[in-house]
Amino acid sequence: MKFMGGGAENGQQWLEFLGEVKDKRVPPVGSPFQQNFNPTGEVPPAGIEAATASFVSCGDPLFLCSCADCPVAPGCSAPHPGPPPESKTCRVGAITCWDLTLLLTYIALLGGTAFVVIRNKRQRDQQLLEAKLGLDAEEPLLGMMPEQQNGANANGYTRVDEEGDETEPLPGDIHYPYLERQMQTAYTALGEFCARRPLHVIAGGIVLIAFCLLGLIRFKLETNPQQLWVGPGSRAAQDKAKYEASFGPFYRVSQLIVSTTPETPSAYASTTGLPAIVGDGNIQLLWEMQAKVDAISATYIGKDGQPKTASLTDVCFKPFGTSCATQSILQYWHMNRTFYQEEQSKPSYRVKLSPDYCFGHWATQCRSAFEAPMDPHVILGGFSTGPDFRNYSADATAFVITYPIDSNPDNLEAALAWETAFIQLANTELSSMATGAKLKLAFQAERSVEDELKRESYTDASVVAVSYLVMLGYIALALAAIPPPQQFLQLFVLSRASLGAGGVLIVACSVAGAMGLCSMFGMWSTLIIMEVIPFLVLAVGVDNMFLLAHALGRQDPTLPLVTRAGLALGSAGPSITLAASCEVLAFGLGSLTPMPAVRNFSICAATAVLLDFILQVTVFVALLVLDTTRLHHNRLDCLPCVRVPYRDTSGNWVHDDVSEDEESYEPLNPNPGGRSRGQGPDRRGWGLGNLNIPGFGGARSDHQGSSQDPGEMYYAPQQQQLPTSAAAAAGDGAVPEIGVQQQQQQVLRSDLGGSRRMSGVLPGVTHQGPGLLHGDKVSLQSLLQAYMERVHAPLLMQPLVQVLVIAVFVTGLFVAGALIPRLSVGLDQAVALPRDSYMQEYYSDLMKYLRVGPPLYLVVSDVNVANGTADVDKLCSVAGCRRDSLSVRVSDASMTPATSYIASPAASWIDDFLSWINPSLPTCCRISQSDSPQLGPKGSRCPPPDQPPCSTNATACADCVSCLTEMPPGGRPTAEQVARFLPWFLDAVPSEGCAKGGAGAYNNAIQKDTSDPTGIAGLSGGVITASAFRTYHTPLNHQHDFIAALSAAREFTEKASQELGLNVYPYSIFHIFFEQYLDTRRSAAMLVGLPMLAVFCVAWLFTGTLWGSAILLAMLVSMMLQLAGAMYMAGIEVNAVSLVNLAMALGISVEFCAHVLHSFCVSHGSRITRAKTALVKMGAPVTSGITLTKFAGVVVLAFARTQIFEVYYFRLYLALVILGAAHGLVLLPVVLSRIGPPSWSDRGVQGSQDRSSMELEASSSGDRARLDSAAAAAGVPGVPTTADGTAGVAAAGMQDGRPERLPSVAASGMAASAAALGGPEQAAAAEE
């Protein structure tokens, strides 16, 4: 008593303490006015006598109190809470079992590796010592690689020379997989067709895209988050549809949060350190703000086409049909400022509705204008919910004002117009008012998120555009070359910007065509499709551009352009097809996901990649041929009708074309005839071979002359040139034997894509012989090629470097394995919006100040209310109901809010109805016994005595009696009584005379149906179709709270449905947005795991090697795991956006790895030689086509103003580029060099290398039989003999009277053999 009563020693002092006014105390708790208690022993004042009646417990069965109101009521004892739930995470001390497993495995792996290395080193040292001592000098060292033993390589055949052969077998080799051979044949024919008819091919591509673009007529951009992320078949969407069909759409919400700042004047400081907000000055400001909101008059166009205006009273949600259900502290004074001022002006000794008083009487004296109680948790914020809470006046730091807006479809246009005006008002006048009072204002309307998402699409449009322009500029730079200073004007010829622009235009057409096709079939597009797919297709398309251009440049420049185009596409086409097939199938399988936005993205991405693939192997090949023709004729880039002049040996400008032959590019006419500035008359016919151009090595003297395409020299490999004497002899028709052998060795030993090392040529400089206009030039592509050949590939083949590479990547895998379980699921709403959005501050304050969670409705379908059924007892919580009823379960769950996320017992309409109809409460359910003008005919409902007309006319309700004289047997009303009186209950307004009325509280708790006689769906048949029990979630302040609350609600209803035999489902407004995160693992498996398996199968089909496909799959798995680990380090959460990017990352990962693997399979030699060859051949195109292109575009995204671009695009794409390049250009070559699959030619032990040796020997000796044998080994028909006994090599390419297409190397080899056996005429025929 002394502690609680302020030092009171007895009961009288304790009573005096309670009655003393304590306004001067801080905080002001206690009696609001002075109360003088009668001293003990004194005579009571007149009219007052001691109470002698006994107090009855609320648990008395007579009251039938619900368990929520009276926990001591019969049958309402709380169950034992049981043991706390065990943690689902296995731990060993402070570390998880998974982390411990990874750590121990990594340590064991390090130890095992160290043991093997030390043991092998000791064995090698021992063997070296034995060899030195001569103990076993002939035994090979165990530590040597297989190819180091007896000169044999790891694949079983003998090396040709000390360096190994970097060539690949000829296309069409019988050891190639069947599909590869067929694709090479088809693509060779397609390439030649595109080269012969480039304009027709381009026109066909335009027609295809034009047809696809027709679908854009039905184009629709979807921005509604519900439509984007939740499919119509999802459980959340079905629950939402059922709820809205039963009770109508949930009301829209507009909200203001007014909070204090450190500068706010206040009488109290809250426990958080901020000033308290409850005070007369701040409440007066709130009245002024409310007046501004009430004055909003928004103009809109009605359905009749006429302009109308909308105010708050027009659009607000009115549960009683008269007053807006605004939730504000001002409701304590019925939203009437005059009433507030009158109450505050009352003297202190009188009861006045002060804020402190209403915080304790919010359910009684301080009810709102719409007669609903106004819980301080709903209208105040920022106070502590822990044991340090003192009271609302001292601890609350924010006012929360919520405006529910009617969501009826007929009210939508007015609501949208009013919300627009509300946002504008809050952003201007209300914010200024708050700032002037040293307060802070945050606000939002229902339309805010969608509006800001739309604005986001325009906010960073310039950044995305700049990103694309940067990539376009890079592509032009990468395709271009820099001529020598003397020929600086040739830079405008070699820039190739038109080719790059054409390639980018193909990408844009692919994306637009894919969107058109998808729209044609009724699919809507999203901002993600418009933002992500161009990056994806650009990466894939640019890579193919560089591969095709690189392949064309690797062909023999002495061949006609048509032949070279066919051979280039035949060489690169299968690799491009492999990658494209994997990507299309991977994205196609991603369409199985249930999320609409992800599904549409996957389908559109697959379509875009497919269109881009078709256009790349047709239209871009045609563009490449046209650009090569332009280069050959020395025409201006982007304006090919203009010829660019060049300097001759005298420094004069020459304006003539390079060649007059547009078909075969045969050696130019050596007769002079060109015109030079400052020289004499017109001398047409001059070729570059007759010019001694400074900086290009002098006059033409080689046999190839200017027939080499100058445009292709940018890509051409560094080949050995024939000696001048040999070339001259060839021009005279006599070919020295040594010259022929050197040419044959060059032709037979140079692969379609490889390049032979050439001494005397600087890195990054291509040189095709003296006397050529574009013979010496520097380009990014040639620099990359030189880097790959001379630095990167040799360095990666070093054993120590390979050990370091494997160690780094294995460590990265273990680190990723530890980080992946720590990835958080969800999407912070603030991240999805622009940085300057007013919603950023709103979300921050919402999480900081709100102290009530969103409402949770437990909807029960088909409740049988007939007397004697058990459904009522399964739902109610009053005495006599089941102890495990639904209401009791909710009440029990509210006792463990940390796990159930339920904050309070449910508002049970059935409990209040059973109490309302009970005759023990005679003033609630009353019926008139006679006709009355005020009440209506006999049998009408009578209101409680304190409600009109009973409160205004005593005689109007004089003959009203209780609806029931006694409860039926079992204490439950019959079905007929429920059908008659339940509609009355829903219309009964609660008051002091009867607080159990259902109007307002249960307006939307029972499904209505005007076709039913009772007005309630199904009630005339004794069944209530749908009814809802409302409770609240605990405050949800983080993404994982919302996800856990949804999961807990579903778990609760599933268990209740199963055990009670009822059909119960949960509904809350946020469920539909967070359902996607409940099955994130399944979605990830759909988008990443299943496509990986598909890529494995496609790679197996195309390459014919299970082991190589498994290596590709391992690379993809490693990359995706490490990318997931990088997501954690970059602060990226797992959500639909990141899953879309992961799907895109998988497609680009295939591009990084598939081309290198394909090149490794077609090459032959030892594993190290083939890995080096593949890296040299594909490293530059992959680096320039994907890595640098994406890097250039991604860097620009770092300057985006929208966080989602900076977080989910810049960070994730940057990690993708780095990891993709690391896996495709570092890890994969190392793995292939050690455990790569056999070459496609390995099944023939003699293979291409033995075949090459046989052809060399046979052709040089002139032995007819040996040449036939060599041709048979090559899979080519025997060389027929002409009438004069010479070899008719041209006939070797004939089958059934039709020419058999031979690859360039094979054709050149046959030509060389013909020259050795039959002379230059036969050589020319064979080469033709």
Side-chain angles (χ1 to χ4, degrees):
M1 180 183 295
K2 185 176 182 180
F3 173 74
M4 297 176 60
E9 299 289 345
N10 50 53
Q12 182 63 35
Q13 294 180 3
W14 185 66
L15 291 174
E16 292 175 356
F17 169 78
L18 293 179
E20 182 183 1
V21 177
K22 300 179 175 60
D23 289 343
K24 297 181 180 180
R25 296 177 179 266
V26 179
V29 295
S31 177
F33 54 90
Q34 183 64 39
Q35 300 180 66
N36 297 320
F37 291 90
N38 188 40
T40 304
E42 294 187 5
V43 179
I48 297 178
E49 60 182 19
T52 58
S54 61
F55 293 96
V56 183
S57 170
C58 67
D60 193 296
L62 179 64
F63 292 137
L64 294 178
C65 291
S66 65
C67 296
D69 296 332
C70 183
V72 298
C76 294
S77 58
H80 190 273
E86 297 182 0
S87 175
K88 297 181 180 180
T89 304
C90 172
R91 289 186 174 275
V92 179
I95 189 173
T96 64
C97 297
W98 173 249
D99 291 342
L100 182 61
T101 302
L102 290 176
L103 180 61
L104 295 178
T105 304
Y106 186 70
I107 293 175
L109 186 62
L110 285 180
T113 304
F115 172 77
V116 171
V117 171
I118 294 174
R119 186 191 65 177
N120 290 344
K121 183 177 183 304
R122 289 179 177 177
Q123 289 179 350
R124 288 194 299 269
D125 292 343
Q126 181 66 24
Q127 292 170 357
L128 288 174
L129 180 60
E130 292 176 355
K132 184 176 181 180
L133 297 176
L135 299 178
D136 194 4
E138 297 182 359
E139 183 179 351
L141 299 180
L142 296 178
M144 295 176 63
M145 294 299 295
E147 61 265 26
Q148 294 174 311
Q149 302 180 21
N150 302 325
N153 62 30
N155 296 315
Y157 48 79
T158 305
R159 296 187 305 170
V160 175
D161 55 23
E162 183 178 358
E163 293 183 358
D165 192 356
E166 296 180 1
T167 66
E168 61 188 42
L170 304 180
D173 189 285
I174 60 174
H175 303 104
Y176 277 27
Y178 173 79
L179 187 59
E180 178 78 12
R181 299 198 304 270
Q182 297 301 316
M183 284 193 299
Q184 286 183 346
T185 302
Y187 278 125
T188 300
L190 178 62
E192 293 183 0
F193 176 80
C194 295
R196 288 193 182 96
R197 297 176 176 84
L199 298 181
H200 295 79
V201 172
I202 294 174
I206 293 174
V207 172
L208 173 63
I209 293 301
F211 171 76
C212 296
L213 293 179
L214 290 177
L216 293 178
I217 298 175
R218 303 181 60 187
F219 177 79
K220 177 185 176 183
L221 181 64
E222 184 62 65
T223 57
N224 186 347
Q226 296 185 19
Q227 299 295 329
L228 289 176
W229 307 118
V230 183
S234 69
R235 179 176 172 181
Q238 293 176 353
D239 291 346
K240 181 176 183 292
K242 289 190 294 184
Y243 179 87
E244 292 183 349
S246 300
F247 311 107
F250 199 81
Y251 55 78
R252 303 168 67 90
V253 174
S254 297
Q255 199 167 58
L256 298 174
I257 301 178
V258 183
S259 57
T260 60
T261 64
E263 294 79 21
T264 303
S266 176
Y268 313 113
S270 68
T271 55
T272 61
L274 288 174
I277 197 169
V278 178
D280 183 70
N282 293 334
I283 294 178
Q284 292 289 354
L285 175 66
L286 213 56
W287 284 113
E288 296 176 8
M289 288 183 172
Q290 184 61 45
K292 296 284 187 181
V293 174
D294 290 336
I296 292 177
S297 180
T299 303
Y300 70 100
I301 303 299
K303 292 184 177 180
D304 56 358
Q306 299 298 321
K308 297 183 178 181
T309 58
S311 63
L312 178 60
T313 56
D314 297 326
V315 300
C316 68
F317 175 67
K318 306 181 184 72
F320 290 100
T322 55
S323 301
C324 294
T326 302
Q327 299 177 19
S328 169
I329 191 175
L330 305 182
Q331 286 284 12
Y332 288 152
W333 304 279
H334 298 176
M335 303 296 291
N336 188 324
R337 189 173 188 178
T338 302
F339 178 54
Y340 167 78
Q341 293 172 344
E342 291 175 353
E343 285 295 318
Q344 305 314 306
S345 63
K346 289 182 179 180
S348 59
Y349 58 85
R350 293 185 57 187
V351 176
K352 61 180 179 180
L353 301 184
S354 65
D356 298 318
Y357 180 83
C358 287
F359 293 151
H361 300 82
W362 54 271
T364 53
Q365 288 95 327
C366 296
R367 296 173 72 88
S368 65
F370 60 100
E371 294 300 327
M374 200 58 52
D375 191 339
H377 287 77
V378 177
I379 60 177
L380 299 177
F383 52 86
S384 172
T385 57
D388 56 343
F389 171 73
R390 298 173 296 178
N391 57 70
Y392 296 112
S393 297
D395 289 344
T397 58
F399 291 138
V400 181
I401 304 97
T402 304
Y403 300 97
I405 305 299
D406 186 10
S407 56
N408 191 301
D410 296 335
N411 189 54
L412 182 60
E413 294 299 326
L416 292 175
W418 185 89
E419 289 173 359
T420 301
F422 171 79
I423 294 172
Q424 184 177 3
L425 174 68
N427 202 21
T428 54
E429 293 187 50
L430 300 187
S431 296
S432 299
M433 294 169 64
T435 303
K438 298 183 179 180
L439 297 172
K440 184 177 65 173
L441 176 68
F443 58 93
Q444 74 98 31
E446 187 76 15
R447 65 175 300 163
S448 294
V449 173
E450 189 169 350
D451 288 347
E452 290 301 287
L453 287 176
K454 289 181 180 179
R455 187 171 71 89
E456 175 192 10
S457 61
Y458 304 104
T459 299
D460 287 311
S462 59
V463 176
V464 176
V466 170
S467 177
Y468 289 139
L469 290 176
V470 168
M471 287 188 283
L472 176 60
Y474 162 75
I475 293 169
L477 176 64
L479 289 174
I482 301 176
Q486 298 90 335
Q487 305 293 341
F488 65 91
L489 286 181
Q490 295 299 309
L491 179 63
F492 300 102
V493 177
L494 301 176
S495 67
R496 309 193 83 172
S498 57
L499 180 63
V504 175
L505 183 61
I506 287 176
V507 171
C509 291
S510 302
V511 176
M515 295 173 63
L517 279 178
C518 293
S519 301
M520 188 180 298
F521 291 97
M523 292 175 53
W524 39 258
S525 295
T526 66
L527 293 175
I528 289 183
I529 290 177
M530 301 174 65
E531 294 162 355
V532 176
I533 290 184
F535 274 84
L536 167 67
V537 182
L538 194 61
V540 175
V542 172
D543 185 37
N544 293 339
M545 289 167 51
F546 281 97
L547 286 174
L548 290 170
H550 197 65
L552 181 61
R554 293 196 311 265
Q555 307 309 314
D556 187 350
T558 63
L559 295 175
L561 181 57
V562 172
T563 304
R564 280 185 287 152
L567 293 173
L569 188 57
S571 173
S575 178
I576 294 174
T577 306
L578 168 62
S581 301
C582 292
E583 291 156 1
V584 171
L585 186 58
F587 288 121
L589 291 175
S591 63
L592 299 177
T593 181
M595 284 185 284
V598 181
R599 182 181 64 248
N600 288 11
F601 166 82
S602 299
I603 295 175
C604 193
T607 307
V609 172
L610 180 60
L611 282 177
D612 179 72
F613 164 73
I614 294 173
L615 296 179
Q616 289 287 347
V617 298
T618 54
V619 176
F620 183 75
V621 173
L623 293 176
L624 188 60
V625 169
L626 292 177
D627 190 70
T628 303
T629 305
R630 177 191 64 80
L631 287 170
H632 178 78
H633 291 289
N634 207 42
R635 295 179 180 271
L636 183 65
D637 190 20
C638 300
L639 196 62
C641 59
V642 177
R643 295 181 180 134
V644 178
Y646 52 86
R647 290 185 183 274
D648 61 7
T649 55
S650 303
N652 298 315
W653 291 101
V654 180
H655 294 269
D656 286 344
D657 195 2
V658 175
S659 172
E660 299 297 334
D661 189 351
E662 298 183 0
E663 289 294 331
S664 61
Y665 298 162
E666 294 295 330
L668 299 177
N669 185 0
N671 296 325
R675 171 178 292 185
S676 300
R677 182 179 301 174
Q679 296 184 2
D682 184 13
R683 292 176 293 178
R684 284 181 248 177
W686 271 72
L688 290 181
N690 300 85
L691 297 177
N692 186 10
I693 303 175
F696 289 102
R700 180 182 67 191
S701 60
D702 63 313
H703 79 288
Q704 295 172 340
S706 61
S707 64
Q708 290 185 345
D709 183 3
E712 293 308 308
M713 293 163 204
Y714 168 51
Y715 297 104
Q718 301 167 359
Q719 298 176 346
Q720 300 283 359
Q721 301 296 323
L722 291 176
T724 304
S725 58
D732 296 333
V735 181
E737 180 178 349
I738 184 171
V740 172
Q741 291 181 356
Q742 184 173 358
Q743 183 187 24
Q744 289 172 331
Q745 185 171 1
Q746 171 187 337
V747 171
L748 294 175
R749 294 290 306 280
S750 62
D751 64 297
L752 290 175
S755 61
R756 305 300 300 166
R757 294 181 178 85
M758 175 179 175
S759 59
V761 179
L762 297 176
V765 178
T766 58
H767 181 69
Q768 291 298 316
L772 297 177
L773 180 59
H774 300 151
D776 296 325
K777 56 183 177 293
V778 180
S779 65
L780 177 62
Q781 185 75 5
S782 56
L783 289 172
L784 290 174
Q785 188 72 27
Y787 165 75
M788 287 292 171
E789 182 175 357
R790 303 193 178 189
V791 179
H792 192 79
L795 184 63
L796 275 186
M797 297 303 110
Q798 298 296 323
L800 180 59
V801 174
Q802 292 185 341
V803 171
L804 292 176
V805 168
I806 296 297
V808 169
F809 278 90
V810 169
T811 302
L813 277 177
F814 276 91
V815 173
L819 296 179
I820 289 175
R822 293 171 167 80
L823 280 171
S824 58
V825 177
L827 175 61
D828 189 355
Q829 294 169 313
V831 174
L833 299 174
R835 297 178 189 270
D836 59 348
S837 171
Y838 62 88
M839 293 294 291
Q840 297 284 356
E841 189 171 7
Y842 170 77
Y843 283 129
S844 175
D845 287 356
L846 184 71
M847 301 302 178
K848 182 179 180 181
Y849 295 114
L850 210 62
R851 291 298 180 263
V852 64
L856 171 65
Y857 296 89
L858 305 176
V859 183
V860 185
S861 303
D862 300 327
V863 178
N864 192 329
V865 295
N867 187 23
T869 61
D871 284 4
V872 173
D873 291 340
K874 293 177 181 177
L875 297 175
C876 64
S877 62
V878 298
C881 298
R882 287 181 52 161
R883 298 185 59 182
D884 63 343
S885 68
L886 181 63
S887 297
V888 173
R889 288 170 181 263
V890 176
S891 180
D892 293 343
S894 65
M895 299 179 184
T896 57
T899 56
S900 67
Y901 292 89
I902 294 178
S904 62
S908 173
W909 66 266
I910 200 165
D911 284 346
D912 287 344
F913 172 69
L914 292 176
S915 300
W916 180 83
I917 200 175
N918 197 304
S920 61
L921 297 178
T923 60
C924 287
C925 183
R926 301 199 303 167
I927 186 171
S928 64
Q929 297 293 314
S930 62
D931 295 340
S932 170
Q934 292 87 0
L935 299 176
K938 179 182 177 180
S940 300
R941 181 179 71 89
C942 292
D946 60 344
Q947 296 182 18
C950 301
S951 61
T952 58
N953 186 357
T955 61
C957 302
D959 61 346
C960 291
V961 297
S962 297
C963 297
L964 302 178
T965 56
E966 63 179 5
M967 292 295 290
R972 301 290 181 261
T974 64
E976 293 76 12
Q977 292 170 342
V978 173
R980 182 180 183 184
F981 299 126
L982 182 57
W984 289 11
F985 165 74
L986 296 178
D987 292 335
V989 178
S991 63
E992 292 185 9
C994 180
K996 293 294 185 179
Y1002 302 117
N1003 278 9
N1004 295 321
I1006 298 178
Q1007 182 176 350
K1008 307 295 179 57
D1009 185 3
T1010 56
S1011 63
D1012 192 285
T1014 64
I1016 297 175
L1019 185 57
S1020 59
V1023 175
I1024 298 178
T1025 303
S1027 62
F1029 296 80
R1030 184 186 70 252
T1031 181
Y1032 287 90
H1033 281 296
T1034 56
L1036 308 176
N1037 297 327
H1038 302 91
Q1039 293 286 302
H1040 63 83
D1041 292 336
F1042 287 95
I1043 300 170
L1046 170 58
S1047 180
R1050 288 189 173 179
E1051 182 180 355
F1052 176 86
T1053 54
E1054 289 170 0
K1055 184 177 180 180
S1057 299
Q1058 181 180 3
E1059 296 180 357
L1060 296 177
L1062 298 173
N1063 184 10
V1064 187
Y1065 68 88
Y1067 173 74
S1068 188
I1069 54 176
F1070 72 89
H1071 285 183
I1072 196 167
F1073 300 106
F1074 288 88
E1075 185 190 39
Q1076 57 179 304
Y1077 305 121
L1078 296 181
D1079 58 350
T1080 304
R1081 291 180 177 85
R1082 186 174 69 88
S1083 299
M1086 281 285 187
L1087 289 173
V1088 179
L1090 191 60
M1092 277 188 182
L1093 297 179
V1095 169
F1096 169 77
C1097 296
V1098 171
W1100 189 6
L1101 175 66
F1102 275 77
T1103 63
T1105 165
L1106 178 63
W1107 182 238
S1109 304
I1111 291 177
L1112 176 61
L1113 178 62
M1115 292 298 106
L1116 297 180
V1117 171
S1118 172
M1119 180 174 173
M1120 299 309 294
L1121 290 177
Q1122 296 192 47
L1123 186 60
M1127 287 173 55
Y1128 174 82
M1129 300 177 66
I1132 301 175
E1133 295 177 313
V1134 180
N1135 48 56
V1137 179
S1138 56
L1139 288 180
V1140 167
N1141 287 331
L1142 285 177
M1144 183 209 63
L1146 177 62
I1148 295 182
S1149 302
V1150 174
E1151 287 286 328
F1152 276 111
C1153 301
H1155 300 301
V1156 177
L1157 175 64
H1158 182 272
S1159 180
F1160 180 84
C1161 290
V1162 302
S1163 302
H1164 62 73
S1166 66
R1167 283 194 177 100
I1168 293 180
T1169 300
R1170 291 161 55 209
K1172 187 176 178 181
T1173 301
L1175 192 56
V1176 170
K1177 179 180 176 182
M1178 291 296 175
V1182 170
T1183 302
S1184 57
I1186 305 180
T1187 308
L1188 297 181
T1189 303
K1190 293 293 292 180
F1191 184 80
V1194 165
V1195 169
V1196 180
L1197 295 180
F1199 302 96
R1201 289 174 290 174
T1202 304
Q1203 292 186 69
I1204 196 169
F1205 273 92
E1206 193 269 332
V1207 175
Y1208 287 91
Y1209 295 119
F1210 168 68
R1211 298 181 190 177
L1212 190 58
Y1213 286 6
L1214 183 62
L1216 167 63
V1217 171
I1218 295 174
L1219 290 174
H1223 279 77
L1225 301 177
V1226 178
L1227 180 61
L1228 180 59
V1230 170
V1231 173
L1232 292 176
S1233 69
R1234 293 297 173 181
I1235 57 173
S1239 171
W1240 286 340
S1241 63
D1242 284 351
R1243 286 172 291 180
V1245 176
Q1246 298 302 319
S1248 300
Q1249 300 197 36
D1250 291 346
R1251 181 169 67 248
S1252 301
S1253 301
M1254 294 169 61
E1255 291 174 355
L1256 281 172
E1257 186 177 353
S1259 60
S1260 61
S1261 63
D1263 190 336
R1264 166 70 192 171
R1266 297 180 67 182
L1267 182 60
D1268 286 342
S1269 177
V1276 179
V1279 181
T1281 305
T1282 60
D1284 58 358
T1286 60
V1289 182
M1294 304 289 294
Q1295 290 186 359
D1296 300 329
R1298 294 174 298 175
E1300 176 78 13
R1301 301 187 185 278
L1302 295 178
S1304 61
V1305 176
S1308 299
M1310 297 298 292
S1313 299
L1317 297 177
E1321 291 79 3
Q1322 285 73 15
E1327 185 169 356
E1328 189 69 29

